[in-house]
Amino acid sequence: MTPEELQEQAEKRRAEQKDTPHQIRVCVAAGCISTQSDQVKEALVKGLSPELQKTCQVNGVGCMGLCKEGPLVSVDDTLYKAVSAADAPELINSLSQTPVQRLLCDSKAPFFSRQKKIVLENSGKINPEVIEDYIAADGYVALHKALAEMTPLQVNEQVTISGLRGRGGAGFPTGLKWSTVAKGAAGQKYVICNADEGDPGAFMDRSVLESDPHRVLEGMAIAGYAVGANQGYIYIRAEYPLAIQRLKLAIRQAERLELLGKNIFGTTFSFHVELRIGAGAFVCGEETALIASIEGKRGTPRPRPPFPAESGLWGRPTLINNVETFANIAPILRNGGSWFAGIGTEKSKGTKVFALAGKITNTGLIEIPMGITLREIIFDIGGGIPDGRKFKAVQTGGPSGGCIPEQYLDMPIDYESLAKAGSIMGSGGMIVMDDTSCMVDVAKFFMEFCMTESCGKCVPCRVGTVQLHGLLCRITDGTATMDDLSQLEELCDMVRSTSLCGLGQTAPNPVVSTLRYFKEEYLAHIQEKRCLAGVCKITVPHAAGVSR
Amino acid sequence: MMANHKLPVSPSDDKRWKLVDATMRRHGYKSHALIETLHTVQECFGYLDDVALRFVSGSLHVPPSRAYGVVTFYHFFTMKPPGEHTCVVCMGTACYIKGAKAVVDGLQSHLGVHAGETTPDKKVSFLTARCLGSCGLAPAVVFDGVMSGNVTAEKAVERIERWKQ
Amino acid sequence: MSPLSTLTPRVKTLKINGLDVSASEGEKILDVARQNGIQIPTLCQLDGLTSVGACRLCLVEVKGTPKLLPACVTSVEEGMEVTTTSERLVKYRQMILELLFSERNHICSVCVSNGHCDLQGMAQAHGMTHVRFPYLYPQQGVDASHRRYVMDHNRCILCARCVRVCDEIEGAHTWDIQGRGGDAFVITDFNQPWGESQTCTSCGKCVQVCPTGALSEKGKSVAEMTKKREFVPYLTLMREEL
């Protein structure tokens, strides 16, 4: 495709959209589909009279964010919630009449108005299965700009200026990673998109891939140009069939329009993308384990250095970024690195997508500028805690993160603040807990997760997580002693300091953070044989104080 | 290199082996195609048995122990034939906080098997998942590939009872 | 390594435990330490095999690096200051050994390798007198189906030396690891009895490199159970000379 053709495509699509005065958009991301939004869409399509078909289009679009109220449907600028197929005729009638009051969803509510969308700017607006929709929304313009107007060095410069940091969790500066791979040994290089979203309680990447797959492909191609790679892989979880299907379709469409493949935009730059499907191993989110898995091996990590940027897939320099990181690239190149750097805080630039879940009124997907407070997220955007219960903690960063208590609610969200509070940014899962959650039980939940997900290669993680889990079990069933508590603390320190990879090194984090803020709950289990939240079934009578 | 390579002979004339072979061919019968090929086998046959494993490891020149090591490393792969129906309870954090454990306990006592097992009558495979990414619907359960949200133990049991009729 | 670089190795100078030492570029901390008479404990590492950094006993402190680094795979760097023993390292090493002893049945008095066992020797050298963690002791089988050798999974510490020697030196890749985490154990071929393995050449290299009594020769008394390991670096070296 030539740039002129791209321009033409975009204008043609925009004109088409203009010619149809009415747009009905139905969310067809996994959340709404599971509440039968596909049937709603079908009913709407069928319900349009031949007359209306000329003036109204029904489109399946990506995630609109408020998953709890799904299926979500927007009729022109009016948003409706909890729509069923039976509501279709009424919604169609509303095109010429007044809105359907009983289904209205207030799109001016803080949940929507307090967000800032960069990564999700197309989500819920464009049809993820139609590449022309993406092109009409300035898709692939950034790729063209990079190839036609910039050197790879200049692309790296813009990414560095933007201050973007890895959205997979650790927050490594993206620009630095790119320049390292760019400077790596000449010859074959690879770009890998880590879509093995493994943190339980996180669904940002799934949603981005289901709602706007081309955005990720474009980011990867730009990365390929910047670092000198002609081959990309997307490593995606098998648990995300819809995302896989949409990615496959998107790759085919982009290849057909020659936006991926050989000699993109008639330049010498070629870039191919292939999918690799994960097979259920959390540890494969770790870079070196992910590489082993793409090579068809057991997903066990290896010591770093050498880092993948130097020696990665098949020993070649390899760039690995996660889905959200790649999704930020096109807007950065379109608007310039300094535009992006103007959003967020001093050290954490841009926006971050979070998945709000647990005991919170508005469960769903949000994107906020870095630096707003947890309180704003949970109480303004999230609508607070349901059933009049009391906020207790918010868990961020999944099994590698920690639980943040009430006293940190006014802390701004950025990489450093979260680390200071004993958690991590992580990939963006935010699980809110109220007073019905026992923090020792939560710590045990995560330890069980790490224990079953440990690859078994290094001793501290393989055996240490089993022993830590055993200690937590004894605490929650009331048989632990104070000695067990000190052993728990000692073992946490040891597993953290000596494990081979990030999984083991961070596995104790949920325990350490709950010990830091909720020690009284541990003590109540051990000394009073009592679970303050009433979750744990303590069978040992108080006096027993069983020793091992 | 391909000169030395004998084209693999399918274990039987079951047409599904053609699909398996197609995956291997697409990757030039390279050993790194192991996981992709195992995915195809499981998609076609529902599980990985000894015959399939020998065929794939032989065709891709992957040592038997390495192939077996890979299959058992990844929890998505199963070497047992699945039941007629499957029910997957999500045990992600959001689902756990909202009571997924009660759903698991309820199903466990109703079905008489633990998570990861199939009922003796081969009717229902009962599984748990570490997170299905549908946290907004917690607790979520997938019944024969269809996601249901806000599931309780009672609802899950009722749903499974319908399969038995 | 290209011939040119082997001829003109770049020399690096560094400090190990305060001692000034020199090393060639690419050399590992562990080797340089040993050349200078400084012993760093290891279990999974064996000269002549690829190092994997799995047992974590060889972790050392490097000034300016917050993380502990495995000496077996970390290359020396100019000006590096390495500490191979400290209160913290001693404590972690003891705990690693305790974890290993808690994981499977390592009762020395009834083990064929009693007196010749790397794990036992390591525990003695590090003053590990008792295990504070509860014993996990899963029921692991003994595979005596092989004509000449026995595999006792209860003694295995999953160091994967057998897997590596069989793959890298013998080239048979009979061994591998199945499952993961605490459920992992070593297997031959498709997890079938060793005696029925189609790939095993009965060379016995795995038995020689095994650090514990997990792999042993049949019909030998405990006193005869010493293992020979010099052949591994020898074979590697001879191959490189070609």
Side-chain angles (χ1 to χ4, degrees), chain B residues 9-75:
Chain B
V9 181
S10 301
S12 71
D13 48 15
D14 191 321
K15 289 219 164 54
R16 290 175 288 186
W17 293 117
K18 285 214 162 69
L19 295 168
V20 176
D21 189 57
T23 301
M24 297 195 287
R25 196 175 340 117
R26 199 170 63 239
H27 294 280
Y29 297 99
K30 296 249 173 68
S31 64
H32 63 73
L34 179 62
I35 294 174
E36 289 289 295
T37 312
L38 294 174
H39 271 301
T40 309
V41 175
Q42 189 157 307
E43 237 164 70
C44 293
F45 294 89
Y47 70 114
L48 305 160
D49 66 0
D50 199 47
V51 174
L53 213 52
R54 278 170 199 277
F55 172 59
V56 172
S57 88
S59 310
L60 298 177
H61 295 181
V62 173
S65 61
R66 209 188 108 191
Y68 195 89
V70 166
V71 169
T72 51
F73 183 87
Y74 296 97
H75 286 182

Side-chain angles (χ1 to χ4, degrees), chain C residues 29 40 58-62 68-69 71 82-84 89 93:
Chain C
I29 295 173
I40 300 173
C58 72
L59 289 178
V60 294
E61 291 168 3
V62 174
L68 302 175
L69 300 175
V82 182
T83 308
T84 69
L89 289 173
R93 284 174 189 153

